[in-house]
Amino acid sequence: MTSTPLDRLLRPQTIAVFGGREARRVIEQCDRMGFSGKIWPVHPKLDEVLGRPCYRSVSDLPQAPDAAFVGVNRTLTVEIVRSLSAAGAGGAVCYASGFSEATAELGDGADLQQALLSAAGHMPILGPNCYGLINGLDGALLWPDQHGMKRIECGVAILTQSSNIAINLTMQTRGLPIAYMVTAGNQAQTSLADVACALIEDPRVTAVGLHVEGFGDLSGLQRLAAIARRSKKPVVVLKVGRSEQAKQAAVSHTASLSGNDAVADAVLARLGIGRVQSLPALLETLKLLHVAGPLPGRSISSMSCSGGEASLIADAAVGRNIEFPALQPQQLPRLRRVLGEMVTLSNPLDYHTFVWGDFARQTEAFSAMFKGGYALNLVVLDFPRGDRCDASEWAMTADAVITAASATGALAGLLATLPENMPEPVADRLMANGIVAFSGIDETMIAAEVAAGIGQAWQAPPPPPLLDVPSTDGEIETLTEADAKTELAACGLPVPRGLQAFSPREAVEQAERLGFPVVLKGLGVAHKTESGAVALNLRDSQAVSNAAATMASNGGYLVEKMIDPPVAELIVGAIRDPVFGLSLTLGAGGILVELLQDSVILPLPATKTDIHAAISHLKVAKLIYGYRGRPRGDVAAAVAAIAAAADYVVTNAARLEELDINPLMVLPEGRGVAAVDALIRRRR
């Protein structure tokens, strides 16, 4: 096991507990889980706690503890952490709230959190404002409450900022073996990514799940992704912040920055980290990753003894990046032989009930299906209520799945459509035999999609480091369209030929130099179309003069050659995210931006291959590739222009706050592209 600075805190041999009721509960939970190390209560007045002698202070302890649970008020927390750090302790859980998450209520919350950081120095701390951790592998707990975990030999690690969600997750009865449950609260010093990196190094951890309200920094996330990939231990994230209400709740809870949700999706995908949107999906995905790791492909087979279930399974896959390929020719004779003539052989497969209650024929049917080369093979089976029904034939079916999977070497999952129809003892037995005990159809499809996505990312070469350049200080300036285009043209982005003018008369002269038809724009106006600051297709001098006389401007005019009608219009933009920095947005441009909301996010740096793939995911790509006999757009020129814009963002990352090219007109094949409007905002 690789040594990390968090080892003593996460896997302690000695634990000191500070406080009253919460500290007592920590000792109770350690005793219940059979912790074999030493526990030292510290209290200024009590002589003993649960049969253990009490110490008066840190200086009275036999030695510096590996870990400490500090369950006292917020100001005393700072003093105890300072003493522990000075004594050489391995780390501490800071239970108290009232720090940076409470700045609206307590004016000194942020200052007190800074004091806590200074007191900790190089000693790791979790929190403040958190419950701590449960180590189910060694029975070591820094946890002041009940929980539903048990001692295990290997399993997944789950990390969250929310202590209450952590408690809820420990109570799951889905058969997921949880090795660690860790809460990080405010992440004042140690982030969830830091803890995850340390836990991945434990050979007994199989996968990691994160419930994230806000990311600490991009570098920590990149380090986690690299370690996960190297260790072949996948990470899946449930990140809140899709709604404005969730973002506000996160800020009020842990003073977290949620960041743009679409950017988070793109960054996590680039890093090979899975993402889910609900706690049940997180648990089901972790079960699949625990048993099998990332999937090598997106193909799934499904068998059920009901056409209704087969239809539900097929529908749940719609819109997801998974597939149910047709049965292989070599499977058909074997399936026909065992299932009979009345069964329609398809995938998903309704195998009826002709083999129900017959272990040998069920095993043969499942084996034939499992030999199709699918990445995941599902058998739908909802167990009856144990208090009212006899489940022996259902148990026989589960045994047949176990036997068939063992004989074929295929990955199999037993899927209960309702979570309550997968009893925990059954789930435990299935998981122990390498069968994923799935609960819920939608959650299972999500799990397969996420595991396949991680597999696809890991099969590709490791991506280059993401652009992680903090913004410089300085006042923000907005360049005129003319100046913005001059900068972009110097980076290789095609722009229309244009000339500046500072009076209506000069605008006419510049138009005559360029040749008609032209476009006239008022400089220094942000929303030109709405403000009447743009006039198109002006065909003579009088038209230019008339347009200039009535046009709003703040610094003159820009006269440009009129561009021929495009095949399609794109928007290319970049805006600085408070968490993830700068990334590129591609989408349907012009007047379709708000109408279609058709866009993709590209983390930077981006290759031309990345850009080409991003364009193909847009709805407007149908126009670019020649929709219903219309001319095909100049795709190569579009890719080159977007690459030039991406390079501009990377080169100017320290100063750039926003780039907006809208529209980038994609002309017919062989005629290039043109950026007809551009906005740049940057630090001086």
Side-chain angles (χ1 to χ4, degrees):
M1 187 187 306
T2 304
S3 176
T4 77
L6 293 171
D7 282 351
R8 291 173 66 195
L9 175 60
L10 297 173
R11 291 175 284 275
Q13 294 297 309
T14 55
I15 297 174
V17 294
F18 297 79
R21 182 181 61 181
E22 285 76 18
R24 181 185 181 91
R25 286 176 175 171
V26 170
I27 299 174
E28 289 173 345
Q29 297 306 323
C30 283
D31 287 345
R32 284 185 60 193
M33 247 199 180
F35 177 61
S36 60
K38 296 178 180 178
I39 302 176
W40 300 321
V42 182
H43 196 280
K45 297 179 181 178
L46 297 178
D47 293 325
E48 61 87 28
V49 177
L50 296 175
R52 292 172 173 84
C54 254
Y55 299 88
R56 293 288 174 254
S57 67
V58 173
S59 60
D60 293 333
L61 292 173
Q63 65 189 65
D66 290 328
F69 179 87
V70 184
V72 298
N73 68 56
R74 64 193 192 115
T75 53
L76 188 54
T77 293
V78 176
E79 298 309 313
I80 291 175
V81 165
R82 181 176 289 110
S83 298
L84 286 166
S85 179
V93 167
C94 300
Y95 172 78
S97 57
F99 293 86
S100 66
E101 86 287 351
T103 51
E105 298 79 18
L106 300 170
D108 64 344
D111 291 339
L112 197 64
Q113 182 155 309
Q114 190 57 49
L116 179 64
L117 286 173
S118 299
H122 296 296
M123 182 186 75
I125 59 171
L126 290 180
N129 183 32
C130 80
Y131 262 32
L133 68 97
I134 303 170
N135 174 342
L137 301 167
D138 307 305
L141 294 91
L142 299 163
W143 189 263
D145 206 343
Q146 297 184 93
H147 62 89
M149 286 172 56
K150 61 182 179 180
R151 290 289 289 269
I152 59 172
E153 294 184 358
C154 72
V156 304
I158 300 179
L159 302 88
T160 172
Q161 288 170 262
S162 169
S163 299
N164 201 61
I165 284 179
I167 293 175
N168 297 343
L169 290 175
T170 71
M171 303 298 177
Q172 60 88 27
T173 58
R174 295 167 177 253
L176 175 66
I178 303 176
Y180 289 93
M181 181 66 70
V182 183
T183 65
N186 292 7
Q187 302 185 88
Q189 178 216 63
T190 306
S191 69
L192 289 176
D194 294 332
V195 179
C197 288
L199 293 179
I200 284 177
E201 301 289 2
D202 190 327
R204 301 168 294 178
V205 169
T206 55
V208 174
L210 299 170
H211 167 253
V212 179
E213 295 174 10
F215 292 108
D217 59 80
L218 186 55
S219 61
L221 201 59
Q222 292 197 82
R223 186 165 65 93
L224 171 59
I227 293 174
R229 184 176 183 136
R230 185 194 71 216
S231 305
K232 294 182 171 55
K233 296 182 181 181
V235 176
V236 60
V237 168
L238 166 56
K239 179 192 170 293
V240 303
R242 301 178 74 196
S243 66
E244 286 304 315
Q245 293 91 334
K247 289 182 182 179
Q248 292 304 315
V251 170
S252 65
H253 181 209
T254 57
S256 296
L257 284 175
S258 180
N260 181 287
D261 198 61
V263 177
D265 264 349
V267 167
L268 293 172
R270 170 74 68 89
L271 294 176
I273 294 176
R275 184 175 183 189
V276 296
Q277 307 291 356
S278 70
L279 291 171
L282 177 67
L283 294 175
E284 297 307 308
T285 304
L286 285 173
K287 281 197 281 191
L288 174 55
L289 295 174
H290 167 74
V291 170
L295 293 181
R298 300 183 180 274
S299 62
I300 302 175
S301 78
S302 173
M303 299 181 73
S304 63
C305 58
S306 160
E309 291 167 342
S311 298
L312 287 172
I313 290 284
D315 282 353
V318 173
R320 300 209 168 274
N321 196 5
I322 50 176
E323 58 182 0
F324 287 90
L327 298 175
Q328 300 293 315
Q330 67 270 19
Q331 295 177 274
L332 301 179
R334 191 177 178 189
L335 285 168
R336 176 62 67 209
R337 186 171 62 251
V338 67
L339 296 178
E341 296 298 323
M342 296 180 63
V343 172
T344 301
L345 299 183
S346 62
N347 183 28
L349 173 62
D350 168 17
Y351 66 88
H352 295 219
T353 55
F354 300 121
V355 296
W356 184 257
D358 187 326
F359 175 79
R361 291 179 68 195
Q362 280 191 323
T363 301
E364 176 71 6
F366 298 153
S367 296
M369 193 62 147
F370 295 175
K371 291 291 283 184
Y374 305 101
L376 174 64
N377 300 273
L378 300 174
V379 175
V380 182
L381 188 69
D382 282 66
F383 278 75
R385 293 177 60 123
D387 58 341
R388 301 176 186 172
C389 305
D390 177 7
S392 57
E393 290 186 342
W394 283 259
M396 178 191 298
T397 302
D399 288 341
V401 171
I402 293 172
T403 303
S406 176
T408 60
L411 173 63
L414 204 63
L415 167 57
T417 62
L418 299 175
E420 57 268 32
N421 294 348
M422 175 63 75
E424 186 176 26
V426 173
D428 288 339
R429 181 167 179 267
L430 289 168
M431 297 286 285
N433 281 278
I435 307 298
V436 188
F438 285 117
S439 297
I441 293 176
D442 288 337
E443 289 83 1
T444 301
M445 297 300 106
I446 292 167
E449 182 181 40
V450 170
I454 297 173
Q456 181 178 2
W458 284 9
Q459 288 163 18
L466 290 169
L467 181 64
D468 189 13
V469 180
S471 176
T472 59
D473 293 330
E475 183 183 348
I476 295 179
E477 62 175 353
T478 301
L479 274 61
T480 67
E481 181 182 344
D483 290 341
K485 284 180 173 176
T486 298
E487 287 219 358
L488 293 171
C491 288
L493 193 77
V495 300
R497 281 199 304 132
L499 297 169
Q500 283 187 251
F502 298 96
S503 68
R505 180 177 177 179
E506 191 178 357
V508 172
E509 294 171 353
Q510 300 291 43
E512 291 170 347
R513 288 190 182 93
L514 287 172
F516 297 100
V518 297
V519 176
L520 182 69
K521 299 179 180 181
L523 292 176
V525 181
H527 302 287
K528 295 182 181 65
T529 302
E530 294 86 339
S531 304
V534 58
L536 303 176
N537 207 26
L538 303 177
R539 295 189 170 274
D540 54 44
S541 299
Q542 189 61 51
V544 174
S545 179
N546 293 342
T550 59
M551 181 174 290
S553 73
N554 184 22
Y557 307 92
L558 178 62
V559 187
E560 292 183 330
K561 282 290 291 182
M562 184 74 187
I563 300 297
D564 292 336
V567 169
E569 296 182 351
L570 295 174
I571 183 172
V572 182
I575 191 164
R576 187 176 293 277
D577 183 85
V579 176
F580 302 106
L582 288 161
S583 56
L584 210 64
T585 300
L586 307 182
I591 63 171
L592 299 179
V593 172
E594 286 83 11
L595 186 63
L596 286 186
Q597 295 186 338
D598 174 26
S599 65
V600 293
I601 304 291
L602 260 180
L604 296 172
T607 65
K608 288 186 176 181
T609 301
D610 296 330
I611 293 168
H612 201 289
I615 291 174
S616 69
H617 283 99
L618 296 172
K619 298 172 189 172
V620 77
K622 291 182 178 179
L623 291 177
I624 297 174
Y625 292 127
Y627 185 63
R628 292 192 172 182
R630 289 166 58 96
R632 177 182 171 89
D634 200 329
V635 179
V639 170
I642 296 166
D647 290 343
Y648 176 84
V649 175
V650 171
T651 303
N652 296 275
R655 296 177 59 201
L656 188 67
E657 289 295 317
E658 182 179 359
L659 168 70
D660 188 67
I661 301 167
N662 183 32
L664 176 70
M665 288 187 167
V666 183
L667 302 175
E669 196 162 26
R671 295 175 59 188
V673 299
V676 300
D677 197 2
L679 169 75
I680 292 175
R681 295 174 64 248
R682 66 186 182 190
R683 301 280 175 180
R684 290 189 188 276

